[in-house]
Amino acid sequence: MTTTTTAPTDLWSLRGLVFCGACASAMDADVRPGTLTRVYHCAAGCCPGGTVASVLELMVLTDARRHAPELIEGVPEQCHPQVFADLYRAIVVHAEHRGVDIVPRS
């Protein structure tokens, strides 16, 4: 008998797309110690505490719905990482709450 297994859903739908605005390094996906809070953080320490993943992911999802609703509406959440990778070149997080740049693919 053959059984089908599915790969676990990646909890960080922007993995590989988030970059630090200070040093331009890719930001790592992590969980804050002692909590269940998912964050994207700069390994160089430019963004102490990191950026809360759910907030950043909601910003990007809102942008996708605004600019490409036909590509995101009705798409299962586990497919969002691929849609985001197709739509965006980078998500740049600036330290000290100075904003986020959502950079589309040209």
Side-chain angles (χ1 to χ4, degrees):
M1 175 194 289
T2 305
T3 59
T4 324
T5 59
T6 57
T9 302
D10 187 351
L11 297 177
W12 288 268
S13 62
L14 300 174
R15 187 187 301 275
L17 289 174
V18 184
F19 293 87
C20 175
C23 72
S25 294
M27 294 179 81
D28 295 327
D30 203 356
V31 176
R32 284 188 182 149
T35 73
L36 297 177
T37 304
R38 297 178 311 110
V39 295
Y40 293 98
H41 70 91
C42 178
C46 299
C47 305
T51 299
V52 176
S54 60
V55 173
L56 190 59
E57 291 159 357
L58 181 58
M59 288 175 65
V60 174
L61 178 60
T62 300
D63 186 79
R65 285 181 172 148
R66 183 179 310 120
H67 293 102
E70 70 283 0
L71 297 178
I72 196 73
E73 292 305 325
V75 173
E77 192 171 332
Q78 65 265 26
C79 297
H80 286 183
Q82 184 59 52
V83 173
F84 294 153
D86 290 345
L87 289 174
Y88 303 109
R89 187 165 29 108
I91 311 303
V92 182
V93 177
H94 301 283
E96 299 174 11
H97 307 288
R98 287 184 279 152
V100 173
D101 295 323
I102 300 174
V103 184
R105 292 200 177 273
S106 299

